Amino acid sequence: MASLGMAVALFFHALIFSVTCANSATFNIVNMCSFTVWPGILSGAGTAPLSTTGFALNPGASTSVAVPASWSGRLWGRTFCSQDATNGKFACLTGDCGSSTLECSGSGATPPATLAEFTLNGAGGLDFYNVSLVDGYNLPMLVVPQGAAATSGAGNCTATGCVADLNTACPQELKVTSTGSQGGVACRSACGAFGDPQYCCSGAHGTPDTCGPSQYSEFFKSACPKAYSYAYDDGTSTFTCASADYEITFCPRPSASVKAVGGEYVVAAKVSGGVALSWTPSLSVVAVVVSATVWQLRRPS
């Protein structure tokens, strides 16, 4: 009888384990930048934190993070990080999460920062994901679904991101600079720069009917058509896939899915009356989301 009870217990344990793992995912986080990036990860409300919430990723290095079923949250890259020799506090010039340590431990990115946002196993069993510039931009980023699930036909499983160097071409009123940096280190959103409800989609401008694109969001959208440029930029910026793994790359190299010529990245360049696309060497490119629900992901921090 005892052996039968043990067998039954093992059966149900295996069943629960298989069901849980069947819908889990792996994030493969890759740094193709010529400098170290410190990824930060924030789980959404009601979602358990992952095994790590912050770490260093050297140039050319990658690391894999197991993500449980139905996880939601955001991932981004921190840059120009250092630890104070006197008090031991860890801080970053862009994307800092304010934890004073390598791990973000439940704190999100300080704007501006490029965000990769996920809600896994959401409505209809689909993963919802996007790359958002609603909180501004600090690094190029590309999110690519991978694995058998990405070719199963469920969802569109489209690669998305922003591979342009927006720091160089960022409008002066949005640009974040630092001593010794060339071309800026980050590009603020209009909401972050001015705090105006018309740019933040808040107050009287808190609905899709009353908050539309601005000249500033169009700067981001022209350079990165698949990324969120403002809070209600849904139609061309949210993508779905079913139970896939995801590769998240900072400073991705040009590929068939990225407009590139001669091994160079596209860079946004301001022109009279709008935004044009020109080319800049890949070494000048310096990229990435993620909240509890698809709706909250789109809102400025």
Side-chain angles (χ1 to χ4, degrees), residues 61-164:
S62 64
T63 190
S64 294
V65 178
V67 183
S70 301
W71 182 83
S72 68
R74 54 177 50 182
L75 184 151
W76 68 98
R78 296 170 285 175
T79 63
F80 303 99
C81 301
S82 62
Q83 189 167 24
D84 190 291
T86 303
N87 56 30
K89 290 185 177 180
F90 180 83
C92 302
L93 190 58
T94 79
D96 189 70
C97 54
S99 65
S100 298
T101 65
L102 183 62
E103 297 272 348
C104 285
S105 303
S107 297
T110 300
T114 314
L115 303 174
E117 305 178 317
F118 297 86
T119 296
L120 303 183
N121 195 26
L126 294 174
D127 300 340
F128 292 79
Y129 60 97
N130 68 78
V131 168
S132 173
L133 307 180
V134 174
D135 283 348
Y137 166 102
N138 70 331
L139 282 172
M141 177 186 285
L142 186 66
V143 175
V144 181
Q146 294 187 323
T151 59
S152 66
N156 50 47
C157 297
T158 300
T160 186
C162 180
V163 301

